Amino acid sequence: MTALPRRIRDELVAIVGAANVRTERGDLTPYARDATPLFHAYPDAVVFPGTTAEVAEILKLATAHGIPVTPRGAGTNLCAATVPEAGGIVLVLTRLNRILEVSGDELLARVEPGVTTARLADAAEAAGLCYAPDPGSRTASTVGGNVATCAGGLRGLKYGVTRNYVLGLTAVLPTGEIIRTGGRLWKDVAGYDLTRLLTGSEGTLAVITEITVALLPKPSHSGTGVGYFRSLADSGRAVTAVIAAGIVPATLEFLDEKCIDAVERFAHLGLRSDAGALLLFGDDGDGEMVTVHLARIAEICGAAGALDVTLAGSVARAEALLAARRCSLPALSRLGSLTILEDATVPRPRLAEMVDRIDDIAARHDLLIATFGHAGDGNLHPTCVLDPDDTDAVQRAHKAFAEIFAGAVELDGTITGEHGVGAAKRPYLADRIGTDQLALLRRVKNAFDPAGILNPGKLGS
Amino acid sequence: MTALPRRIRDELVAIVGAANVRTERGDLTPYARDATPLFHAYPDAVVFPGTTAEVAEILKLATAHGIPVTPRGAGTNLCAATVPEAGGIVLVLTRLNRILEVSGDELLARVEPGVTTARLADAAEAAGLCYAPDPGSRTASTVGGNVATCAGGLRGLKYGVTRNYVLGLTAVLPTGEIIRTGGRLWKDVAGYDLTRLLTGSEGTLAVITEITVALLPKPSHSGTGVGYFRSLADSGRAVTAVIAAGIVPATLEFLDEKCIDAVERFAHLGLRSDAGALLLFGDDGDGEMVTVHLARIAEICGAAGALDVTLAGSVARAEALLAARRCSLPALSRLGSLTILEDATVPRPRLAEMVDRIDDIAARHDLLIATFGHAGDGNLHPTCVLDPDDTDAVQRAHKAFAEIFAGAVELDGTITGEHGVGAAKRPYLADRIGTDQLALLRRVKNAFDPAGILNPGKLGS
């Protein structure tokens, strides 16, 4: 840690006020980590801007003096995207937390980046609308962080991810210019698509200070069901048959045997103990089609050899089923004090094959890796549970995940479906996109950030 | 026109064969124009590569010698994006025309860029699937051109545009590197989103040689209806009320009075002659919801003061109604020998206000400008019909469109919703995105194309 020169600190105070600049070690501690285990690094200062203009002033100062700046929302990301590995300033955007507009006429909302995902979703719902992206961390995560990481969620196949809902951005370049990309329109091709380029750029290209997102009418009906299968391969066949039947349901989540067991021991939901896989399915929409779809999915699960299929007869039961999926991570976390959650992703038909590979890799490295995730879009969350003080196990886990990423790429998949690259996946990026594309990312980064101050060492470095 | 040096021509022949290099003026003529009136410029050569590797060789040669290269598909674009204003090579990608894969299991297709949109749509349909983007030129336009311009169509609000369906690209950088962006996944955040950045980049960043697109299950039902209104303002109120009722229909198209008149005289469809606006609505989906939605829309149109609302009782009648919208352009074209079709776009609730402005501007400049377009997403196609030999009228038309673009921007809209910037809108781009963003586009362009050979003078220049 190199402390910030006194005059830089004074300039920061002049921009945002003394209350919004922290440099005491105790105040820095919460910003030395995000939700990613094993990664931490102290910043030299934490700064809380309150306006776009203040962000611009801070960035100009940082560019002029070559000070690293790591933008951050709630820090719920799982790829160490907001760990300030190069020190410098952590720029916390949670003071920019106003919902500026929710328009039913235009089916959009305009928010500042520090608004939490759940608050945006609630505001949309209050207007009879729906904000579709639903990342697992939605109660804590910010919309700014969702955009920066192109957050996914449980409804990717039917509803898409954050990128599909971002209509426009206000962003500050590292050199201080304020740009407005896109706007309030579904169709706008005036210029390169910087809106989508900034979405998923993980705070390495610009700092987002306002976001316009598309909303949908709130579906009038929804329903949920669960199928137990002897094996993941059986459940995979059911998923393929559902899609082949022309149904793209909102939810198609799976838990492997180890997850079912952990969830049951944690939450006592009455899950079967003899199944190799649990498939949670759900749909939403208008009118009776939801009922028709769910019945058809149940039928298809049966034909694919399900041990048992149940439709939730009530909202309470549906919530309980969804809870089984939602509590996978806390349930697994109880099995050890360190939980490494990954998100390798493969084409949907190769999901069972990928889980088999993960199980092989785990066995070879003598690790407990349970897998749950989004069967609809092939997005797996293999989760390794271990003791952080067992340095040999931690080393084995690193090796196992390197093999898992390589396996996913080999199956036409990717090293990260929705969590991001950050510092955690940066070593594996070239394996996925190739060295020519990596060099191109660096040149794109340089076009935005010639001094290389924004989130150095991450994407684009 | 500066002729290509003999040795460059020889090298091109060595790469693609003599049959695929044209330099005779007669052979160049079809490639001096695209579908945009008033723009033309001769290339020095037209080259037809047959593989990605050939494209890479050609681009390396062009970069080494500073020769402009304008990639082109069918040339149906309406913004002069493929007019080779700097001469050099027109790179025609129509020989790359294989459908490589249509997968029902994975809901995707993989095609070469020269496949026409309609052929892709037909191949999807044959597999019980649907390729959602439906630009007006779909029978002639290529998927490569659709991606390059981020083509829209009639179903933007419900189904999105081309960008929402591109999953992965193979592209050749001007310096010859072949990159693969994205892939077969709905969720993939490994690296900056170059897939979306290339979509809509109008052949200025890289040459696309393979495309993976998402498909949807084919909706089992569809239906269409038409409402006549006294004024566009009345039809606009109906559209707003439909959305407020939680219905986002697949089709919401409007024709103004001048269009209705021209279409009726052209196609004799039995359209009413006393209406100020025609609203064509349609929806698709599963089961009875389509019928329910259409009945509800009809009811809402009635409540908004429609003169008359009719639901198409048969497929034949539905086709006839859609024909009214589809033949707007040919019908207007018959009124004069020069037709300038534009696509200013505004937020949906401001559509009627924008059409009023267009009518005022047309009257002030003594021009016939009729307007039709996509009421659902605010995408207007004001169409000026005139005599190309009347140079004063042509001048007045240019002035009128400059005012229309300024008006759209003033109403939070844009200078182009779906046609692109190309050479035609390049002068208006800064008014929409600002000079700081324009400078950023240039730096992004430079990151891809340091020698500036790809489609010079267009986007990113």
Side-chain angles (χ1 to χ4, degrees):
Chain A
M1 191 180 96
T2 52
L4 215 57
R6 179 68 196 220
R7 66 193 168 84
I8 301 290
R9 192 187 172 286
D10 291 347
E11 290 202 52
L12 289 170
V13 166
I15 297 168
V16 296
N20 295 310
V21 179
R22 313 271 168 79
T23 52
E24 296 298 318
R25 192 165 172 94
D27 291 337
L28 302 181
T29 301
Y31 302 96
R33 296 177 185 273
D34 53 30
T36 323
L38 305 174
F39 288 83
H40 53 93
Y42 271 81
D44 300 310
V46 180
V47 180
F48 299 81
T51 65
T52 300
E54 287 178 7
V55 171
E57 288 307 307
I58 295 162
L59 292 182
K60 268 191 266 188
L61 181 72
T63 282
H65 297 277
I67 301 162
V69 176
T70 302
R72 173 184 165 124
T76 56
N77 76 84
L78 292 161
C79 64
T82 51
V83 173
E85 294 203 316
I89 296 167
V90 168
L91 192 71
V92 185
L93 295 153
T94 48
R95 282 181 66 214
L96 289 161
N97 63 359
R98 291 177 300 165
I99 295 179
L100 301 166
E101 182 183 1
V102 175
S103 167
D105 278 3
E106 294 193 48
L107 291 179
L108 60 79
R110 207 157 48 83
V111 301
E112 292 184 325
V115 171
T116 64
T117 318
R119 227 181 107 213
L120 167 58
D122 289 349
E125 192 160 332
L129 304 169
C130 164
Y131 177 61
D134 63 340
S137 54
R138 56 196 291 286
T139 53
S141 68
T142 63
V143 181
N146 292 171
V147 173
T149 55
C150 188
L154 273 64
R155 307 190 275 209
L157 183 67
K158 179 169 176 177
Y159 284 110
V161 295
T162 301
R163 101 162 52 85
N164 300 105
Y165 295 88
V166 184
L167 295 174
L169 297 171
T170 299
V172 186
L173 301 185
T175 36
E177 299 97 318
I178 298 163
I179 61 169
R180 286 182 180 83
T181 73
R184 308 170 73 87
L185 306 170
W186 267 242
K187 285 178 176 169
D188 186 357
V189 291
Y192 297 140
D193 190 352
L194 300 188
T195 306
R196 254 59 58 168
L197 181 61
L198 291 176
T199 304
S201 65
E202 301 181 6
T204 65
L205 299 180
V207 176
I208 295 164
T209 60
E210 194 184 298
I211 301 151
T212 305
V213 293
L215 303 175
L216 299 173
K218 190 170 173 256
S220 59
H221 293 68
S222 68
T224 303
V226 66
Y228 293 91
F229 293 84
R230 209 160 278 126
S231 67
L232 261 165
D234 283 357
S235 73
R237 264 193 300 277
V239 167
T240 299
V242 167
I243 305 291
I247 302 173
V248 177
T251 308
L252 264 182
E253 297 290 307
F254 76 96
L255 276 67
D256 75 358
E257 194 170 5
K258 293 174 246 180
C259 281
I260 299 171
D261 186 50
V263 166
E264 184 54 27
R265 279 195 281 162
F266 174 74
H268 312 293
L269 297 164
L271 305 181
R272 274 179 85 124
S273 61
D274 60 346
L278 182 158
L279 186 70
L280 184 74
F281 53 89
D283 204 11
D284 55 21
D286 288 335
E288 294 311 302
M289 281 321 294
V290 175
T291 315
V292 173
H293 279 175
L294 290 179
R296 185 91 184 90
I297 296 172
E299 194 182 303
I300 289 169
C301 286
L307 299 168
D308 181 40
V309 191
T310 318
L311 295 180
S314 69
V315 173
R317 185 63 196 150
E319 289 294 330
L321 291 177
L322 281 167
R325 165 62 182 85
R326 289 227 173 85
C327 73
S328 299
L329 185 56
L332 290 169
S333 301
R334 293 226 311 189
L335 305 181
S337 44
L338 175 64
T339 311
I340 307 176
L341 174 69
E342 269 306 342
D343 82 322
T345 302
V346 292
R348 187 176 47 251
R350 314 197 78 165
L351 200 135
E353 193 179 348
M354 186 66 213
V355 176
D356 281 348
R357 285 194 183 207
I358 292 169
D359 288 344
D360 281 353
I361 291 165
R364 250 192 299 111
H365 292 284
D366 189 23
L367 292 164
L368 171 60
I369 302 182
T371 302
F372 62 94
H374 316 296
D377 49 35
N379 185 197
L380 299 119
H381 293 311
T383 304
C384 185
V385 186
L386 67 171
D387 171 1
D389 296 328
D390 182 345
T391 51
D392 187 68
V394 172
Q395 284 307 313
R396 295 199 311 274
H398 283 307
K399 277 188 200 145
F401 278 115
E403 290 175 26
I404 288 170
F405 301 145
V409 170
E410 211 178 288
L411 297 177
D412 275 336
T414 188
I415 59 172
T416 174
E418 59 183 7
H419 290 174
V421 174
K425 305 289 185 70
R426 184 62 191 75
Y428 310 102
L429 187 56
D431 295 339
R432 167 64 182 145
I433 68 171
T435 50
D436 285 339
Q437 192 171 163
L438 197 63
L440 179 59
L441 296 196
R442 286 200 187 99
R443 297 196 297 275
V444 170
K445 158 85 171 169
N446 190 54
F448 281 79
D449 182 17
I453 59 148
L454 268 186
N455 216 351
K458 313 285 175 59
L459 210 48
S461 295
Chain B
M1 191 180 95
T2 52
L4 216 57
R6 179 66 195 221
R7 67 197 167 83
I8 301 290
R9 192 188 172 284
D10 290 346
E11 290 202 52
L12 289 170
V13 167
I15 297 167
V16 295
N20 295 308
V21 179
R22 312 272 167 80
T23 52
E24 295 298 317
R25 193 166 172 95
D27 292 337
L28 303 180
T29 300
Y31 302 95
R33 296 175 186 273
D34 54 29
T36 323
L38 304 175
F39 288 84
H40 52 93
Y42 269 81
D44 300 310
V46 180
V47 180
F48 300 81
T51 66
T52 299
E54 287 178 7
V55 170
E57 288 307 307
I58 294 162
L59 292 182
K60 269 191 266 187
L61 181 72
T63 283
H65 298 276
I67 302 162
V69 175
T70 302
R72 174 185 163 124
T76 55
N77 78 83
L78 292 161
C79 63
T82 51
V83 173
E85 293 202 319
I89 295 167
V90 168
L91 192 70
V92 184
L93 295 152
T94 48
R95 282 182 64 215
L96 289 162
N97 64 358
R98 288 178 301 167
I99 294 179
L100 301 166
E101 183 182 1
V102 175
S103 168
D105 277 3
E106 294 193 50
L107 291 179
L108 59 78
R110 208 157 46 82
V111 301
E112 292 184 326
V115 170
T116 64
T117 319
R119 228 182 105 211
L120 168 58
D122 289 348
E125 193 160 330
L129 304 169
C130 163
Y131 178 63
D134 63 340
S137 54
R138 56 195 292 284
T139 53
S141 68
T142 63
V143 180
N146 292 169
V147 173
T149 54
C150 188
L154 273 63
R155 309 190 274 209
L157 184 66
K158 178 170 178 179
Y159 284 110
V161 295
T162 300
R163 102 161 52 85
N164 300 103
Y165 295 87
V166 184
L167 294 174
L169 297 172
T170 299
V172 186
L173 300 185
T175 37
E177 299 97 318
I178 298 163
I179 62 170
R180 288 184 178 80
T181 73
R184 308 170 72 86
L185 307 170
W186 266 243
K187 285 177 178 170
D188 186 356
V189 290
Y192 297 140
D193 190 352
L194 300 188
T195 306
R196 255 58 59 169
L197 181 61
L198 290 177
T199 303
S201 65
E202 302 181 4
T204 64
L205 299 180
V207 176
I208 295 163
T209 61
E210 193 183 300
I211 301 151
T212 305
V213 292
L215 304 175
L216 300 172
K218 192 174 172 246
S220 59
H221 293 67
S222 68
T224 302
V226 65
Y228 293 91
F229 293 84
R230 208 160 279 127
S231 67
L232 261 166
D234 283 357
S235 73
R237 264 192 301 276
V239 167
T240 298
V242 167
I243 305 291
I247 302 173
V248 177
T251 308
L252 265 181
E253 298 289 309
F254 77 96
L255 276 67
D256 75 358
E257 193 170 5
K258 291 174 247 180
C259 281
I260 300 170
D261 186 50
V263 166
E264 184 53 29
R265 279 196 279 162
F266 174 72
H268 312 294
L269 296 164
L271 305 181
R272 275 179 82 125
S273 60
D274 59 347
L278 180 158
L279 186 70
L280 184 73
F281 52 89
D283 203 10
D284 53 22
D286 287 335
E288 295 310 303
M289 281 321 295
V290 175
T291 315
V292 173
H293 278 175
L294 290 180
R296 184 92 184 86
I297 296 172
E299 195 181 303
I300 290 168
C301 285
L307 299 169
D308 180 40
V309 191
T310 319
L311 295 180
S314 69
V315 172
R317 185 64 195 149
E319 289 295 329
L321 291 177
L322 280 167
R325 165 61 182 84
R326 290 227 173 86
C327 74
S328 298
L329 183 57
L332 290 169
S333 300
R334 293 227 311 191
L335 305 180
S337 44
L338 176 65
T339 312
I340 306 177
L341 173 69
E342 270 307 341
D343 83 322
T345 302
V346 292
R348 186 177 47 251
R350 313 196 79 165
L351 202 135
E353 192 179 348
M354 186 66 214
V355 176
D356 281 349
R357 284 194 182 206
I358 292 169
D359 288 344
D360 281 355
I361 292 166
R364 250 191 300 109
H365 292 285
D366 189 22
L367 292 164
L368 170 60
I369 302 183
T371 303
F372 61 95
H374 317 297
D377 48 36
N379 185 198
L380 299 119
H381 293 310
T383 303
C384 184
V385 186
L386 66 171
D387 171 359
D389 296 328
D390 182 346
T391 51
D392 187 67
V394 171
Q395 285 307 314
R396 294 199 312 274
H398 284 307
K399 276 189 202 146
F401 277 114
E403 290 176 25
I404 288 170
F405 300 144
V409 169
E410 211 177 288
L411 296 178
D412 274 335
T414 189
I415 59 171
T416 173
E418 59 182 9
H419 291 174
V421 174
K425 304 288 184 71
R426 184 63 192 74
Y428 310 102
L429 187 56
D431 295 338
R432 167 63 182 146
I433 68 172
T435 51
D436 285 338
Q437 192 172 163
L438 197 62
L440 179 59
L441 296 196
R442 286 199 186 101
R443 298 197 297 274
V444 170
K445 158 85 172 171
N446 190 54
F448 281 79
D449 183 16
I453 60 148
L454 269 185
N455 217 351
K458 312 287 174 59
L459 210 47
S461 294

